[in-house]
């Protein structure tokens, strides 16, 4: 099949590269000319493990190319919409990229083509996409389907190649059959292609993300309570996780969720609820708990230094919103660093891949260093924000000899408090 992917961000690039690998003929289309030029020079604008090699191999094989020219759509069978749907000022999803893409597509599409929305869009959007095509093209409109994406940054290629499930929302059985053929190579390990209506597919994506965000906010609220009552959330977590109705996944306390999806999707679904006259009590609380959680480590630091943060040297390990990505959208590290700088602290930070993005936020207000140990030298405290594998087992004796004061603020409960304390450190985790 000939495929066009509109939008070459995290989702568009991974989708395009994986579909090309499965034998399809793929063009990645974007309005960002700089991005397309880089891709055509073989430079990948995002960090995602294995993606650069896959794109290079597929480009070389002649199955993957990139353009800014919407007229490539003329020779497509299937067009995926993978443009961004960021948050608007009122919390709802901003669909302006969807509408401008649809208007551009309308100049080139035919009724034989299928336009598939992979971007996360509020319920009702795909039907409006169809109406918009019809307003341009009357009965010459293409088919429309919803196919929400569940990949996770950091493991995106594996998630796309071996999905848990593929959800498609359609109006007609024939559309589902077309997508079944396209996805067949990815379903060989037994995953199902779940066919449902457009509205249900759109809701499925939001409900999945909101449920996961709810688990995180729930365990964070319980961790904070453990801090107050002298319990250890790690023991509590094990105590509940062995109950099969509860389980262990997504119940790790930390510094709050960030990234390009959970925060905006929780707020967007809240806005959908409000628009339908419903009060999204839980969703609002999930968001509130998360926003507060982003300040918890700062409050611990503030208390630990008796409010005297001016001139303190604080080393921060990990800036990306999670390991495996350079994405810092809504990252908790940004909130912590902003507050520390506002108090006059001297902040030095390290991240394996996200430092260039962080530099665009803080400029020279923050010292970034390629060596995680160098920023620890002379520090009054070390704060762990992102649980990258390279931070998992530091040499605590060496850290102790380098630091001026020995305190570790472990925002991911990564370290064993006893081991850390045995090296002369004070240990502050989340709910321990
Ligand atoms: P992104 O911001 O990384 O990339 C979006 C791309 O779309 C950009 O390159 C931008 O230039 C391009 N674009 C914008 N308007 C365009 C237009 N009119 N025509 C062509 N290109 C245009 O976004 P992303 O993180 O890949 O997310 C895309 C969508 O997928 C969002 O709706 C997001 O919620 C959803 N999603 C993201 C993830 C993730 O982990 N990032 C996972 C699942 C779903």
């Amino acid at each position: 099949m000939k495929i066009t992917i509109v939008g070459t961000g995290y989702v568009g690039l991974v989708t395009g590269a994986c579909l090309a690998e499965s034998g399809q003929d793929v063009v990645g289309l974007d309005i960002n000319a700089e991005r397309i030029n880089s891709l055509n020079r073989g430079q990948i604008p995002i960090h995602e493990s294995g993606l650069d090699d896959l794109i290079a191999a597929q480009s070389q094989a002649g199955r993957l190319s990139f353009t800014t020219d919407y007229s490539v759509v003329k020779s497509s069978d299937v067009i995926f919409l993978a443009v961004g749907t960021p948050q608007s000022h009122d919390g709802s999803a901003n669909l302006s990229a969807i509408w401008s893409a649809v208007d551009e597509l309308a100049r080139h599409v035919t009724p034989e083509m299928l336009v598939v929305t992979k971007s996360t869009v509020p319920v009702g959007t795909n039907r409006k996409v169809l109406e918009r095509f019809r307003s341009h093209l009357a009965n010459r409109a293409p088919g429309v389907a919803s196919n929400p994406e569940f990949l996770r940054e950091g493991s995106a290629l594996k998630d796309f190649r071996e999905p848990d499930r593929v959800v498609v929302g359609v109006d007609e059985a024939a559309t589902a059959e077309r997508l079944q053929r396209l996805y067949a190579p990815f379903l060989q390990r037994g995953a199902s292609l779940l066919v449902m209506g457009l509205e249900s597919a759109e809701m499925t994506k939001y409900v999945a993300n909101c449920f996961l965000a709810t688990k995180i906010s729930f365990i964070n609220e319980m961790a904070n309570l453990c801090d107050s009552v002298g319990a250890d959330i790690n023991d509590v977590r094990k105590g509940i996780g062995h109950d099969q109705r509860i389980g262990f996944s997504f119940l790790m306390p930390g510094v709050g969720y960030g990234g390009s999806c959970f925060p905006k999707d929780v707020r967007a679904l809240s806005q959908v609820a409000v628009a339908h006259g419903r009060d999204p009590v839980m969703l609002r609380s999930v968001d509130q708990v998360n926003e507060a959680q982003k300040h918890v480590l700062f409050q611990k630091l503030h208390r630990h230094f008796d409010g005297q943060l001016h001139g303190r040297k604080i080393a921060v390990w990990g800036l990306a919103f999670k390991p495996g990505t350079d994405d810092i959208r809504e990252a908790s590290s940004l909130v912590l660093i902003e507050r520390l700088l506002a108090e006059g602290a001297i902040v030095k930070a390290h991240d394996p891949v996200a430092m260039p993005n962080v530099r665009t936020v803080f400029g020279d207000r923050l010292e970034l260093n390629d060596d995680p140990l160098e920023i620890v030298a002379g520090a009054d405290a070390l704060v762990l924000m992102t649980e990258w594998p390279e931070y998992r087992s530091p040499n605590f004796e060496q850290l102790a000899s380098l630091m001026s004061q020995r305190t570790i603020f472990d925002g991911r409960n990564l370290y064993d408090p006893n081991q850390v304390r045995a090296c002369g450190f004070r240990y502050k985790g989340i709910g321990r």
Side-chain angles (χ1 to χ4, degrees), residues 28-40:
L29 167 63
D30 208 293
I31 49 168
N32 182 340
E34 202 184 320
R35 175 164 283 224
I36 292 299
N37 288 339
S38 310
L39 285 163
N40 281 329

Side-chain angles (χ1 to χ4, degrees), residues 297-298 301-302 309-310 312 314-316 334-347 383:
L297 270 195
F298 172 79
L301 276 148
H302 196 262
L309 283 163
H310 193 89
R312 295 274 178 211
I314 312 293
V316 179
L334 305 183
V335 175
L336 172 80
I337 292 169
E338 196 59 76
R339 291 204 68 183
L340 288 171
L341 292 174
E343 294 287 325
I346 299 160
V347 186
V383 186

